[in-house]
Amino acid sequence: MLLVPRLGSGIPLVARTHEMRRLRAAFARAERGEAGAVLLSGDAGVGKTRLLTALGEHVSACGGLVLTGRCIDVREGGLPYLPFAEALAPLGSAADPVVAAAVRARPAL
């Protein structure tokens, strides 16, 4: 039986050179201490998660901290703060003293 690899398991990212270049440039600006944000959107199944997984691998390899949060569409409302709550939750138990100090200084996190 032929096994099909799962996404993110060594399958090369295809036709996303421009997008990856822009995302890596945003990461490079963050490394320099520049504030910023990137919004990635698109229809279901177009590869947003795969693209961000590849970026996350790059960021982790460079020693960066990767936090993720997901949006879910619940009819017309959704859960507006879910991505932020999900992404920031791991910071509460971070072992890194710098991260722990930042969380203590910002109790809203």
Side-chain angles (χ1 to χ4, degrees):
M1 174 182 212
L2 179 64
L3 295 177
V4 177
R6 292 178 50 89
L7 286 179
S9 63
I11 298 172
L13 190 61
V14 177
R16 293 288 186 236
T17 305
H18 175 72
E19 292 86 350
M20 186 56 74
R21 187 177 303 125
R22 292 183 68 186
L23 290 170
R24 284 185 175 193
F27 172 61
R29 288 190 300 274
E31 284 186 302
R32 292 191 301 267
E34 297 177 28
V38 175
L39 175 64
L40 180 64
S41 66
D43 292 331
V46 298
K48 298 178 299 295
T49 300
R50 177 68 180 95
L51 181 62
L52 290 178
T53 298
L55 177 67
E57 290 167 357
H58 169 73
V59 170
S60 292
C62 292
L65 174 63
V66 177
L67 301 171
T68 59
R70 296 167 291 169
C71 296
I72 57 172
D73 188 13
V74 181
R75 296 201 179 204
E76 296 176 21
L79 300 171
Y81 296 107
L82 177 65
F84 302 104
E86 197 173 274
L88 297 175
L91 295 179
S93 60
D96 183 326
V98 174
V99 173
V103 171
R104 279 193 307 276
R106 296 165 183 85
L109 290 175

